[in-house]
Amino acid sequence: VQDERPPLPTDMPREYAEIIAASWNRDPWARPAFEALLPPLQDLHAVLAGGSKSSSQARSAPSLRNPGWLLTGAARGAGAC
């Protein structure tokens, strides 16, 4: 059952699906560092919980739509997985 992943719900917000897919990268060094995941997750939580950010603000936030938030192993440094 190597490299198999469960299907994601079709009604899942796109940003969550992107975060999950990035975290499931076959190459552990290509997976995002936790520090890179926390801000977009907090933004999405605020939107879904009815916080101060509107859905359009969170969706346009660079940390959510720009793959630059995904830190590679080289950016994380040795020893991080």
Side-chain angles (χ1 to χ4, degrees):
V1 197
Q2 192 173 11
D3 293 327
E4 290 186 30
R5 304 289 188 253
L8 298 176
T10 57
D11 61 344
M12 175 183 286
R14 177 185 49 84
E15 293 86 359
Y16 281 137
E18 290 173 356
I19 290 169
I20 292 168
S23 299
W24 282 345
N25 192 306
R26 188 176 194 181
D27 177 4
W29 290 105
R31 296 175 193 154
F34 180 76
E35 295 83 11
L37 293 175
L38 193 55
L41 288 172
Q42 289 172 326
D43 290 347
L44 286 168
H45 176 72
V47 169
L48 295 175
S52 60
K53 288 189 176 187
S54 73
S55 194
S56 63
Q57 286 174 316
R59 290 181 193 281
S60 66
S63 63
L64 296 178
R65 67 168 171 56
N66 182 350
W69 65 265
L70 181 117
L71 295 178
T72 64
R76 288 189 274 165
C81 287

